[in-house]
Amino acid sequence: MDLYARAHSLGIQTEYIDGQGHRRVTDAAALKTILDALPLQTPRRLIGQPVVVRSGHPARTELPQAASFPLRWKIVNGLKVIAEGETRDRIIRWPQDLPQGVHRLRLTDAGSVTEEVPLLVVPERAFGGDFDRGWLLAVQLYGVRSARNWGMGDFTDLQGLIELAHQLGADGVGLNPLHALFDDRPGDCSPYSPNSRLFLNPLYIDVEKLPEFRAEAANKNALALLRANDVVDYVTVAGLKWRALRSAYDAFKAHPALDRWQDFEKFRKGRAPLLSRFACFEVLRHKFDSPWWEWPEEWRQPDEAKCARLRKGADAADIEFVEFVQWIADRQLAAARDRARGLGMKVGLYLDVAVGVQSDGFDAWNEQAAISRHLGVGAPPDPLNTAGQDWGLAGFNAAGLEISSFEPYRAMLRASMRYAGAIRLDHVLGLKRLYLVPRGFGPDNGAYVQMPFEALLAATAQESVAHRCVVIGEDLGTVPEGFREQMADWGIWSYLVMMFERDDQGAFRGIDHYSANALVTFNTHDLSTYAGWRSFSDLKLKRSLGIDPGESDDARWHALAMLDQALQHHAIDRHDLYSVANFLSRTRSRLLAISLEDLLGLIDQPNIPGTVDEHPNWRRRLPVSIDHIASAIDVGALKDATRERSRASI
């Protein structure tokens, strides 16, 4: 079969119109690399895609012309047969009493052709939230300053933020991703470039809360310097915290308290086998000090039997230490979650989920069919990025997810949902199609690869209902026709950024424009703060770094005038941050996020896309301690602005 015809049969879009209106065709060599990187697939004859059965909806599947009859079908879950039957026409009408879950459907036609696909029986919609309208305090947790933390925000600070948000009338705290990064590369601190989305970043642990912690006098001066820094010194923080965690683990092993040991064992059992596999991977990664595909052949694939032997050998303590650290992180984050629930906050924690993972990390090693290290997630050329973008992250692929009945995707959701009342899926467009860039090629030579959109929405709804967790899709940029409507039909909320909600003349859209099932915010971590935007500081900074800001000073003056006009149209006379919050509070959107950086009037944004070392991305600390935040902001003005959706008052 011709290379391009084969790609088309597998749902790979080899040509597209880019953001500048130019037709792009994927180079044949790049396309071959993409095809070779995906699990081996044979185009199906009997059924085109996974089957989704929604509760309360009559479900039927139309078979293609290639099928011959009679055709037998069987739905199985492990060794158990859920249902079976036969059809003599091209329509299968699925039983209405199928149990919810992810099953396998086997089809065999009269010509003895047999095929198998996942069959998902799921709730009608994702969890919709049990509140009317509320607002969230959005925070970069690492940047929180306190008198007791070790130079970066931690889970005890998070409890303080929850208390603060509750006092301000908020229904939750929104955070950057808390995914596990690489403990031996602490300077690579982007929370959106994780080692694993299944586990937590241990640098957020408050080590002083461990019963086994013992202070070291030698750390006193180092901690004083870390607390005084205006940026997070991840290398020094990591050195001190990992040493303290190792010391605490040694004390725990030497004299384990019965209740703590039992809780540790409960955690290990509850997270098996992924936790054990992650711990083995981390030990192997340190041992071989190279990407996993360069390891000795026996370790290039996860193997339960080999991991079990490793756990009984000389590396047993190091493996258990990784599990110990994840146990501590889990219990401290869960305590913050429980504190929010105890205060009656309707959302509690709102967590971000990154769009992909580092190719040399655990998730890519553990799910080599569903995640290909040879393909990077990115974006095609557009007016702001004329060469296209390769984000350096590996993402899921359709064939691998189907082979595994979407378990890797569902496990990723569960990892954040167990703590959160709401999550945001970064680049949710990737549920429908991903722009994949083969390693060794430029981002202008990628291709769109179709994803099983309905099945992924169904899996999202299933996990959302099970965890009572609202799901928000970051649906910014060029959105395919009908995408938002289908997302909304499944109960996935939109993400509305006021900066982008403008018409062709640059006028800001009115309050009635904003939909109800959405999170609305003025900006994002990748955009200017409100103070930076009004002062043109973001434009000046980007130009000083040699980056085209994509906006002239005249355009910014026009935007400021348009904002004033929009506010005045709704009888809001001023144009400070609280006036914007007032405007957004009046929208129908059920969640509003207000960033702590904006409330404090900060100029610099957390991250400038396109920079690595030119700007202190993901490092800036707040200028005031958490104990003094309430006195550093105009609480009365914030209360007035959010009165329509505020849950409490101080």
Side-chain angles (χ1 to χ4, degrees):
M1 184 186 294
D2 170 78
L3 189 69
Y4 286 88
R6 181 179 161 220
H8 178 73
S9 72
L10 297 175
I12 299 175
Q13 185 179 336
T14 58
E15 61 178 77
Y16 58 90
I17 305 299
D18 68 19
Q20 298 171 296
H22 301 143
R23 178 174 173 266
R24 299 268 184 173
V25 179
T26 308
D27 178 82
L31 182 59
K32 184 177 186 305
T33 301
I34 293 172
L35 288 168
D36 290 346
L38 298 173
L40 186 63
Q41 309 167 255
T42 302
R44 290 191 287 256
R45 290 179 51 195
L46 304 183
I47 192 161
Q49 58 191 3
V51 173
V52 172
V53 178
R54 296 174 74 177
S55 295
H57 289 237
R60 45 179 271 171
T61 296
E62 186 171 346
L63 302 171
Q65 293 292 325
S68 58
F69 300 92
L71 180 145
R72 296 282 309 168
W73 58 266
K74 182 184 292 186
I75 301 170
V76 299
N77 194 314
L79 299 176
K80 183 179 180 181
V81 176
I82 304 297
E84 58 186 324
E86 180 179 286
T87 183
R88 294 181 177 272
D89 59 31
R90 300 200 180 279
I91 301 295
I92 301 178
R93 293 170 179 81
W94 303 110
Q96 294 190 3
D97 58 350
L98 293 173
Q100 288 197 9
V102 181
H103 314 298
R104 301 294 295 185
L105 169 65
R106 295 172 187 160
L107 302 170
T108 304
D109 74 353
S112 296
V113 174
T114 298
E115 291 175 2
E116 183 174 309
V117 295
L119 183 143
L120 295 85
V121 185
V122 298
E124 182 180 16
R125 295 166 61 84
F127 176 64
D130 54 3
F131 55 89
D132 179 19
R133 292 186 307 156
W135 70 276
L136 308 171
L137 184 66
V139 185
Q140 304 296 321
L141 182 56
Y142 58 83
V144 174
R145 189 184 294 268
S146 68
R148 41 144 299 279
N149 75 33
W150 285 24
M152 67 177 285
D154 59 28
F155 290 137
T156 296
D157 292 324
L158 177 55
Q159 292 213 38
L161 288 168
I162 289 168
E163 301 278 356
L164 172 66
H166 177 262
Q167 291 174 347
L168 295 175
D171 260 311
V173 173
L175 299 172
N176 52 278
L178 303 177
H179 308 317
L181 304 183
F182 294 88
D183 62 351
D184 53 348
R185 294 169 3 210
D188 296 341
C189 58
S190 171
Y192 291 90
S193 298
N195 172 353
S196 173
R197 293 177 290 192
L198 304 175
F199 296 98
L200 296 170
N201 183 349
L203 293 188
Y204 290 116
I205 291 174
D206 174 4
V207 294
E208 294 186 11
K209 267 203 163 178
L210 275 66
E212 300 85 2
F213 171 75
R214 296 295 178 266
E216 295 183 26
N219 291 345
K220 186 175 181 180
N221 290 337
L223 290 174
L225 290 173
L226 288 173
R227 289 171 182 144
N229 281 349
D230 290 330
V231 295
V232 179
D233 178 355
Y234 285 102
V235 173
T236 304
V237 171
L240 293 175
K241 283 207 172 185
W242 282 111
R243 188 162 68 243
L245 286 166
R246 176 65 76 167
S247 176
Y249 168 72
D250 290 342
F252 173 76
K253 285 290 289 182
H255 304 286
L258 180 60
D259 59 337
R260 282 177 61 73
W261 180 258
Q262 289 175 337
D263 190 52
F264 179 44
E265 286 298 300
K266 178 182 177 182
F267 174 76
R268 295 168 79 185
K269 183 177 180 180
R271 297 293 174 85
L274 276 178
L275 175 64
S276 172
R277 210 176 301 161
F278 174 68
C280 288
F281 173 83
E282 287 295 280
V283 169
L284 292 168
R285 190 170 62 79
H286 283 273
K287 179 183 295 223
F288 298 129
D289 194 25
S290 61
W292 54 262
W293 53 87
E294 296 177 4
W295 292 356
E297 185 68 35
E298 64 172 326
W299 291 113
R300 291 183 190 174
Q301 297 272 349
D303 184 289
E304 288 300 321
K306 290 175 184 174
C307 280
R309 288 198 296 272
L310 192 69
R311 292 180 58 87
K312 295 177 182 177
D315 297 303
D318 288 338
I319 292 170
E320 190 175 81
F321 172 63
V322 176
E323 297 172 324
F324 170 85
V325 169
Q326 285 298 317
W327 169 55
I328 297 300
D330 169 83
R331 294 312 192 235
Q332 290 194 1
L333 181 55
R337 173 202 65 199
D338 294 345
R339 181 57 182 147
R341 289 177 178 172
L343 290 170
M345 301 173 88
K346 294 293 180 62
V347 175
L349 299 182
Y350 158 57
L351 300 179
D352 250 8
V353 179
V355 68
V357 295
Q358 292 286 344
S359 59
D360 60 343
F362 171 71
D363 292 3
W365 174 75
N366 188 53
E367 297 292 352
Q368 293 177 40
I371 301 173
S372 173
R373 69 179 178 87
H374 298 287
L375 303 175
V377 179
D382 61 31
L384 292 181
N385 293 278
T386 55
Q389 300 175 68
D390 182 349
W391 300 327
L393 299 172
F396 289 126
N397 67 74
L401 286 176
E402 290 183 20
I403 290 168
S404 56
S405 295
F406 302 100
E407 176 56 25
Y409 175 75
R410 292 163 55 233
M412 178 198 76
L413 295 178
R414 288 196 294 270
S416 290
M417 286 181 174
R418 63 170 52 100
Y419 309 107
I423 65 168
R424 188 193 79 144
L425 297 179
D426 196 30
H427 190 63
V428 75
L429 299 175
L431 298 188
K432 185 174 181 66
R433 65 179 188 178
L434 279 174
Y435 185 77
L436 298 180
V437 181
R439 299 291 185 229
F441 291 85
D444 59 342
N445 235 323
Y448 279 111
V449 178
Q450 298 300 312
M451 299 290 284
F453 188 34
E454 186 180 38
L456 288 172
L457 290 173
T460 304
Q462 182 183 38
E463 296 297 336
S464 168
V465 169
H467 291 85
R468 294 181 62 79
C469 181
V470 172
V471 179
I472 298 151
E474 190 258 298
D475 51 352
L476 305 177
T478 304
V479 179
E481 186 176 350
F483 177 89
R484 287 194 176 101
E485 290 77 8
Q486 191 168 357
M487 200 168 70
D489 181 56
W490 277 94
I492 311 299
W493 293 17
S494 274
Y495 184 68
L496 302 176
V497 179
M498 186 178 177
M499 273 192 179
F500 299 146
E501 297 300 326
R502 301 168 66 186
D503 64 20
D504 293 339
Q505 285 70 49
F508 285 86
R509 301 187 188 279
I511 285 171
D512 293 340
H513 162 77
Y514 292 86
S515 54
N517 282 350
L519 181 141
V520 62
T521 181
F522 178 75
N523 50 15
T524 77
H525 55 259
D526 287 335
L527 298 172
S528 174
T529 64
Y530 185 71
W533 184 74
R534 287 211 71 93
S535 64
F536 293 58
S537 297
D538 59 320
L539 303 183
K540 296 171 188 172
L541 178 58
K542 287 183 179 179
R543 289 172 188 144
S544 73
L545 297 174
I547 300 173
D548 181 359
E551 183 179 4
S552 67
D553 285 3
D554 286 344
R556 178 60 58 83
W557 281 115
H558 178 67
L560 293 173
M562 291 295 97
L563 177 63
D564 288 352
Q565 188 178 103
L567 295 175
Q568 289 167 5
H569 179 74
H570 293 283
I572 301 172
D573 297 328
R574 302 175 63 183
H575 54 230
D576 58 8
L577 184 276
Y578 301 102
S579 300
V580 173
N582 185 352
F583 175 92
L584 293 174
S585 289
R586 298 186 197 179
T587 66
R588 292 176 297 159
S589 296
R590 292 172 60 194
L591 279 178
L592 159 66
I594 305 175
S595 78
L596 195 47
E597 290 93 349
D598 280 340
L599 288 173
L600 292 171
L602 304 188
I603 296 292
D604 293 310
Q605 64 201 65
N607 180 55
I608 297 181
T611 64
V612 179
D613 299 318
E614 302 93 327
H615 183 264
N617 295 332
W618 314 116
R619 289 173 168 83
R620 288 197 181 278
R621 302 184 70 209
L622 297 177
V624 297
S625 170
I626 189 171
D627 296 329
H628 299 105
I629 288 175
S631 59
I633 64 179
D634 189 338
V635 174
L638 178 60
K639 286 289 185 179
D640 288 342
T642 57
R643 182 182 295 113
E644 291 191 24
R645 55 176 72 219
S646 187
R647 62 168 310 283
S649 60
I650 57 175

